[in-house]
Amino acid sequence: MLMENLLRHLFPALLLVFSVHSVSSDAYPTQGFCSVDSNLESDCLSGKILIKGGTVVNAHHKEVADVYIEDGVIVHVSPNIRVGDHVRIVDATGKYVMPGGIDPHTHLEMEFMGTVTIDDFPSGQAAALAGGTTMHIDFVNPINVNLSAAFASYMNKAKKSVMDYGFHMVITKWDEEVSREMEVMVKENGINSFKFFMAYKGSVMINDEVLINGLERCKSLGALAMVHAENGDAVAEGQKKMISLGITGPEGHALSRPSVLEGEATARAIRLANFVNTPLYVVHVMSIDAMEEIAKAKKSGQRIIGEPVVSGLVLDESWLWNSDFTTAAKYVMSPPIRKAEHGKALQDALASGVLQIVGTDHCTFNSTQKSFGMDDFRKIPNGVNGIEERMHIIWDSMVESGKISVTDYVRITSTECAKVFNIYPRKGAILEGSDADIIILNPNSSFRISSISHHSRSDTNVYEGRTGKGKVEVTISGGRIVWEDGNLKVTQGSGKYIKMPPFSYLFDGLDKVDAQYLASLGAPVRRTAAAS
């Protein structure tokens, strides 16, 4: 009854599925199912799948159970489910059955620094599915157009999507039209987050006035404000300094934007969000400096989400000093990859809950595009890959190493993202009524990363040659098996745009805090007129 009430509130349309297709653990015989080796296209068009014998892992609980899927929805989770004919059986014995990953930070087919990222929606999403990510949230960047035109452009880019996706919206200026269109984005287009760049001077960087206005507008709409936190003015000066010293190679990128500039901007954004009393999401946290500012704010009770990215967790800046330009340039991203001690500290912060969600900032350019900055690091397109590698690297570096539990893994790669962007439990969970976005991970299997075998269009990979334990062997997206036995089977146009409603749990009780603040002011003070 509790589950039925939950579904009635969140997914009323799914009640029909439950009323027609309920499955019990002993109601149906098992003969006549589609075997694992069956041709899914011809034998299992019913869209019915039973995952048997695996350890089902959610962020709050794990248990050995079966998972029955029908028409793209998880219908039943229980031990020993028995089903009728024409059901595809997938044996998950000894393996983990988990919600598909949600990548909160990607840039597909994005115009940037005079070029366009090499991965479009179909290629980037295919890479994601091969790596166990079943949904991503991309950034709509309204360069030289208004928000509505930018949104329409990105919806057109995503027409050939092969998995589910959502959008954040970038804000690059402030006026009444922007304020009005933000409301349209939230109420009509399902966008519940807006990003503000505190870096990239002369391009998308905004000043504090725009940020404050944006924070206030986000609060009124129940939308989450996100910041790329670097002091853009100081970075511009740092770049000039490096060039004047004759440092024109990729190492100049890291030297021109040290961690102190990330820490300063993070602290400033946090304090401004506190001034407005609205939640804040700090994207790609790359340094101890930024992480410590987030930790202090969280300890004081402020609502801050810190997002490290895979590259910042496991790579170090030494690659930027490589004598081969192509090798060094592929590691250029902003904020830059730091010294190894930063990555270790970020891993610890992720394990302790100071940082909550792992993204990728997947923003790929091939070696030809990176070579635009051969003689000037300022012209190297910023960005690295990660959408295919994230789930494997986080398992190996965080779970296999003993830093976090299996349930924590689900939380930081899927569930918390779904909650923050208000699409849980439709996404981020293996529960009755949730979307059938599922991975099966074999903890005893190994992986090896290579640009030769990856599914991105990029000809390089920043994790080249990396090996580890824990491999995604099956990916189910929207109730379809799309990755199995090393084979990818995707259909362009099968991905759905997921609208994300405003006022996530981060906004709960903010009105009470505002009321307490107003009551504490002791103002305005009533004064008598001055004697004449």
Side-chain angles (χ1 to χ4, degrees), residues 191-254:
I191 288 178
N192 68 0
S193 50
F194 296 90
K195 182 179 181 182
F196 302 85
F197 281 92
M198 302 172 75
Y200 297 115
K201 187 174 182 178
S203 176
V204 292
M205 175 180 160
I206 51 90
N207 59 27
D208 285 355
E209 180 182 7
V210 173
L211 180 55
I212 292 170
N213 282 321
L215 289 169
E216 291 175 340
R217 188 59 169 141
C218 282
K219 179 181 180 180
S220 70
L221 294 170
L224 185 58
M226 314 174 79
V227 289
H228 172 134
E230 289 183 288
N231 187 312
D233 289 318
V235 167
E237 291 303 310
Q239 290 175 329
K240 292 177 185 177
K241 181 178 181 180
M242 292 304 113
I243 296 297
S244 71
L245 293 172
I247 302 172
T248 61
E251 71 276 12
H253 178 75

Side-chain angles (χ1 to χ4, degrees), residues 477-502:
S477 174
R480 303 180 306 276
I481 297 176
V482 294
W483 172 255
E484 186 180 28
D485 297 328
N487 296 312
L488 192 61
K489 299 178 181 179
V490 297
T491 302
Q492 291 194 5
S494 61
K496 301 186 297 297
Y497 174 62
I498 305 299
K499 289 188 174 183
M500 299 179 288

Side-chain angles (χ1 to χ4, degrees), residues 320-340:
L320 293 165
W321 273 259
N322 193 284
S323 59
D324 177 67
F325 175 84
T326 298
T327 298
K330 71 179 179 179
Y331 292 92
V332 170
M333 65 173 294
S334 295
I337 297 166
R338 311 288 186 187
K339 295 183 186 300

Side-chain angles (χ1 to χ4, degrees), residues 61-136:
H61 178 66
K62 65 177 181 177
E63 63 175 332
V64 176
D66 300 342
V67 180
Y68 178 66
I69 300 165
E70 191 165 329
D71 298 327
V73 176
I74 297 171
V75 177
H76 200 45
V77 181
S78 174
N80 304 316
I81 296 175
R82 297 174 67 84
V83 293
D85 294 345
H86 307 299
V87 177
R88 171 75 183 272
I89 306 295
V90 179
D91 184 7
T93 303
K95 303 172 187 179
Y96 291 111
V97 180
M98 301 183 284
I102 305 174
D103 189 339
H105 191 152
T106 63
H107 300 281
L108 302 182
E109 202 173 332
M110 179 185 73
E111 297 177 18
F112 186 56
M113 296 184 71
T115 186
V116 180
T117 53
I118 198 70
D119 277 324
D120 60 10
F121 279 79
S123 71
Q125 292 174 342
L129 291 171
T133 288
T134 54
M135 180 179 170
H136 71 111

